């Protein structure tokens, strides 16, 4: 298809040709010395015949050009109206079609041409705007890689990306797109993940790190073992989700659609009644044009597509219009502690010796030996610290018994070792150590999780582990408040002292500690009973009941989880806390735009109808104002394509460096 053919099939061919014919009609009229008659009465035909012979020819040619303009612009409009009628729908196109045909019948070619021309411009604007607001989706599709370099039979071969097999080694060189989802098996490099997570700063990748299709190497050389190809990549899932989301209707849009179904026939009946009562055909036709709810119909879809597109470009996936609209009403946010407010990787921070005959290394050795067979998350930092100190346990305990909510009991080398809280010692009849108890309370008050270690009924020491508060956690809470969230609530299974330490450090409004999964669900339900629209941020495992109950479930760091992308109402692709307030702020901006657009559309129709009955508003003027309102609605929605003032945040790499540098921010997991 050449460029000319492509233009003729584009959105603007019809209005441009129609506009040219209208200008030609005016030009012929002025060149012929006549003035184009815009009298709307049927006698215009007779009056025109009274002119001189030369003048009649001029008027006839001008009328033909004007009629041609109406036909060119109105053909598709009439066609769409007929198609809608075959499906038993009375569309906006039908209102314009009847008005234009009526204007031709009464001899007012100018009004017929003006109405159809302006309406075709409106259609072109709508189509162009929807294409532009869907640009985020087009950008995602554009970043999909076409080829991949793989190692086959000991040689590098370039093949189509979809032909890569799972488990194959893909080579990613500087400047190349990553063609598959995979895990780095060898090499180091810097990857720009903006297309996936929205983060602008490249991320350093080494062995065992995950990479995603569509991201770009900014330096280095990576060998990647393919784990996801084609439709099974994170990029493909994102494209699928954005495509579905932009087509999904919000509740307000569904209402507008139902409203239009009744409104359009009502306008036709009003025009018919007005025409019969006043015997004024022009009034009836003008009412048809004025009553077009075009701006109203487009007001919601254009805002939804723009809002979801803007979010996707920033690494935020919103499931659809309904969820976008609901997110705009969020007044309470419930967050899990571990992995959301904290880094989610607890570390051993303290080893206190109670038995003077032992050293810190002895206490750590005993604690690690007991934890060697434990599944508890707090076992890992103890075992890692023991490995670093060269005292890793050899083998596993002969017997290990977790005591829910208290700790563990293990038999190691025919010795019973207890590691847990004072309640565990009391249960097993171990004599309490005042020093151990006081130290444990001190550690807990500092936001750490203390564990008392006892061997054969004797307390030998206390170990404490802590998770690190994210340096941007407090900023996130503040931004949520700025975005209109009135209550930020922490829901955690950790102890009250630890939770309060984190809550006070981050500015959390309400703290709920020592919760089981069903307790988190109850907390979310309580917020809803208080009248809040609740968003829950969690990991989707122990938070699953609360996530399902909340009005909006939010998954963080979803880039590596296909399940999170498909199931979360909002999926934050990166691990950037600032994306949470950004998503809520964008949703609230979108709902404001939707409401503004509805007001603009309805106010325009009301004012035009009043102008018709008051006199002075013609069909062409009414259509001009009507299409002007469509343009205003579109421009208002297009504002959503810009970032708000909090559209960027501290990159992950900088946040991690800052986090490690702030030892004072250590708290418990």
């Amino acid at each position: 298809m050449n460029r000319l053919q492509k233009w003729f099939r584009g959105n603007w061919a019809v209005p441009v040709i129609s506009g040219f014919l209208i200008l030609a009609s005016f030009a012929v009229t002025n060149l012929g010395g006549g003035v184009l008659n815009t009298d709307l009465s049927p006698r215009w035909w007779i009056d025109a015949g009274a002119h001189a012979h030369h003048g009649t020819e001029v008027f006839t040619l001008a009328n033909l050009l004007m009629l041609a303009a109406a036909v060119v612009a109105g053909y598709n409009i009439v066609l769409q109206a007929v198609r809608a009628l075959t499906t038993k729908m009375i569309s906006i196109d039908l209102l314009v079609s009847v008005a234009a045909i009526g204007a031709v019948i009464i001899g007012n070619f100018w009004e017929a041409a003006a109405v159809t021309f302006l309406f075709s411009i409106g259609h072109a604007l709508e189509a162009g705007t929807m294409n532009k607001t869907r640009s985020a989706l087009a950008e995602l599709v554009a970043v999909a890689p076409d080829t991949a370099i793989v190692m086959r039979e000991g040689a590098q071969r370039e093949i189509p990306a979809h032909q890569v097999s799972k488990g194959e080694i893909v080579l990613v060189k500087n400047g190349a797109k990553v063609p598959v989802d995979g895990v780095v098996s060898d090499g180091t490099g810097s990857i720009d993940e903006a297309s996936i997570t929205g983060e602008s700063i490249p991320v350093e990748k080494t062995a065992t790190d995950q990479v995603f299709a569509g991201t770009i190497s900014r330096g280095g050389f990576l060998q990647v073992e393919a784990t996801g190809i084609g439709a099974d990549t994170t990029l493909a899932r994102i494209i699928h989700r954005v495509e579905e989301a932009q087509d999904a209707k919000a509740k307000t849009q569904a209402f507008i659609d139902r409203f239009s179904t009744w409104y359009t026939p009502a306008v036709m009946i009003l025009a018919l009644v007005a025409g019969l009562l006043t015997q004024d055909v022009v009034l009836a036709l003008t009412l048809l044009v004025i009553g077009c709810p075009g701006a109203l119909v487009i007001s919601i879809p254009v805002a939804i597509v723009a809002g979801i597109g803007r979010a996707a470009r920033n690494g935020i996936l919103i499931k659809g219009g309904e969820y976008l609209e609901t997110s705009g009403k969020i007044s309470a946010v419930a967050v899990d502690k571990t992995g959301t407010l904290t880094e989610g990787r607890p570390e051993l921070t303290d080893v206190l010796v109670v038995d003077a005959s032992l050293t810190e290394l002895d206490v750590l050795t005993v604690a690690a030996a007991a934890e060697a067979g434990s599944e508890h998350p707090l076992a890992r930092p103890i075992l890692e610290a023991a490995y670093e100190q060269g005292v890793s346990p050899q083998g596993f305990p002969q017997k290990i018994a977790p005591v829910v909510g208290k700790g563990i009991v293990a038999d190691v080398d025919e010795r019973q070792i207890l590691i847990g809280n004072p309640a565990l010692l009391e249960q097993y009849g171990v004599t309490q150590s005042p020093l151990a108890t006081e130290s444990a309370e001190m550690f807990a008050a500092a936001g750490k999780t203390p564990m008392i270690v006892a061997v054969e009924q004797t307390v030998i020491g206390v170990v404490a582990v802590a998770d690190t508060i994210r340096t941007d956690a407090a900023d996130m809470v503040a931004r949520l408040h700025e975005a209109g969230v009135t209550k930020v609530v922490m829901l955690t299974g950790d102890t009250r002292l630890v939770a309060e330490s984190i809550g006070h450090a981050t500015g959390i409004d309400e703290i709920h500690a020592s919760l089981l999964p069903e307790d988190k669900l109850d907390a979310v339900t309580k917020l809803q009973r208080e009248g809040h629209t609740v968003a829950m941020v969690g990991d989707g495992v122990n938070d699953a009941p609360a996530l399902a109950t909340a009005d909006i479930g939010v998954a963080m760091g979803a880039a590596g989880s296909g399940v999170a992308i498909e199931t979360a109402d909002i999926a934050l692709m990166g691990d950037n806390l600032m994306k949470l307030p950004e998503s809520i702020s964008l949703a609230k901006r979108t709902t404001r735009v939707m409401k503004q657009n509805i007001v603009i559309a309805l106010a325009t129709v009301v004012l035009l109808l009043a102008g018709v009955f008051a006199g002075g508003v013609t069909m062409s003027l009414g259509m001009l104002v009507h299409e002007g309102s469509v343009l205003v609605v579109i421009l208002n929605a297009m504002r959503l394509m810009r970032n708000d003032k909090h559209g960027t945040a501290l990159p992950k790499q900088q946040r991690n460096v800052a986090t490690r540098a702030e030892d004072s921010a250590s708290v418990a997991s």
Side-chain angles (χ1 to χ4, degrees), residues 140-158:
L140 287 172
V141 173
V143 302
D146 298 320
T147 61
I149 298 176
V150 299
M151 291 298 298
R152 288 185 178 175
E153 300 175 355
Q156 297 184 23
R157 294 188 178 181
E158 185 171 344

Side-chain angles (χ1 to χ4, degrees), residues 314-601:
N314 287 4
I316 302 167
L317 292 187
I318 301 176
K319 198 171 184 178
E322 179 181 351
Y323 302 96
L324 180 66
E325 189 174 16
T326 302
S327 298
K329 302 174 185 176
I330 290 173
S331 58
V333 173
V335 296
D336 185 30
K337 175 182 69 62
T338 306
T340 303
L341 297 175
T342 65
E343 292 290 349
R345 290 188 60 84
E347 298 176 354
L348 183 70
T349 57
D350 299 272
V351 178
L352 175 75
V353 180
V354 174
D355 188 334
S357 66
L358 302 175
T359 65
E360 290 186 2
L361 204 60
D362 293 329
V363 174
L364 177 59
T365 302
V366 171
E371 293 285 9
S374 173
E375 297 178 349
H376 197 280
L378 297 184
R380 183 189 56 77
I382 294 174
L383 292 171
E384 287 182 351
Y387 175 79
E388 291 174 0
Q389 295 296 322
V391 293
S392 293
Q394 302 299 316
F396 300 96
Q398 288 79 42
K399 181 181 178 182
I400 184 167
V403 182
V404 179
K406 297 179 181 179
I408 63 168
V409 179
D411 290 342
V412 180
D413 297 332
E414 299 181 355
R415 295 187 303 169
Q416 186 184 64
I417 301 175
L418 281 70
I419 177 167
N421 57 25
L424 178 68
L425 304 185
E426 183 179 347
Q427 179 177 330
Y428 281 81
V430 177
T431 302
Q432 300 280 355
S433 164
L435 175 59
T437 303
E438 290 175 7
S439 299
E441 291 176 354
M442 179 186 68
F443 289 142
K448 303 174 182 178
T449 300
M451 292 171 280
I452 301 173
V453 183
V455 180
E456 293 293 329
Q457 304 295 305
T458 301
V459 175
I460 64 169
V462 182
V463 295
V465 299
D467 199 354
T468 307
I469 293 180
R470 293 178 184 242
T471 55
D472 50 357
D475 194 19
M476 177 201 71
V477 175
R479 294 275 182 89
L480 285 173
H481 287 142
E482 289 177 16
V485 176
T486 58
K487 184 178 288 188
V488 182
V489 181
M490 180 201 298
L491 305 179
T492 179
D494 216 331
T495 63
R496 166 61 61 174
L497 283 174
V498 171
E500 287 182 346
S501 174
I502 296 173
H504 295 323
T506 56
I508 294 290
D509 300 309
E510 196 173 292
I511 299 167
H512 298 274
S514 303
L515 301 181
L516 296 173
E518 53 267 29
D519 297 326
K520 293 184 179 182
L521 184 153
D522 292 339
V524 169
T525 304
K526 181 175 180 293
L527 287 170
Q528 290 172 326
R529 285 199 302 268
E530 292 173 358
H532 290 288
T533 299
V534 183
M536 172 70 193
V537 187
D539 59 17
V541 183
N542 63 335
D543 299 320
L547 285 165
T549 302
D551 299 286
I552 294 294
V554 181
M556 281 193 59
S561 171
V563 174
I565 292 173
E566 295 298 329
T567 59
D569 300 327
I570 296 179
L572 309 179
M573 302 308 296
D575 198 30
N576 186 342
L577 284 181
M578 293 301 105
K579 295 295 181 184
L580 179 59
E582 181 184 341
S583 62
I584 294 175
S585 176
L586 177 61
K588 290 181 180 294
R589 287 170 57 205
T590 304
T591 53
R592 284 198 299 270
V593 167
M594 288 162 58
K595 292 175 182 177
Q596 291 165 1
N597 283 353
I598 290 173
V599 170
I600 291 169

Side-chain angles (χ1 to χ4, degrees), residues 23 56 74 109 126 195 208 278 307 318 346 393 403 458 468 536-537 566 622 627-628 637 652:
L23 290 176
T56 304
F109 302 131
E126 291 173 23
S195 59
T208 73
T278 62
I318 301 176
V403 182
T458 301
T468 307
M536 172 70 193
V537 187
E566 295 298 329
E627 294 305 330
K652 180 182 177 182

Side-chain angles (χ1 to χ4, degrees), residues 201-241:
I201 296 181
V203 181
E204 294 299 321
K205 299 289 183 179
T206 57
T208 73
D209 285 340
Q210 192 171 20
V211 294
F212 306 106
T215 55
I216 303 172
S217 173
R218 296 303 184 193
F221 177 75
L222 297 174
Q223 296 182 42
V224 177
E225 180 182 346
T227 58
I229 58 175
D232 194 33
T233 63
T234 296
L235 177 62
R237 284 190 286 267
I238 292 173
I239 291 171
H240 174 68
R241 171 55 66 203

Side-chain angles (χ1 to χ4, degrees), residues 262-293:
W262 292 98
Y263 173 83
T264 305
V267 169
M268 296 191 73
I269 293 172
L270 173 65
L272 179 61
V273 171
L276 292 174
L277 291 178
T278 62
Q279 296 297 305
D280 189 340
V281 176
V282 174
L283 174 63
L285 296 177
T286 305
L287 287 174
L288 288 177
V289 172
I290 299 304
C292 288

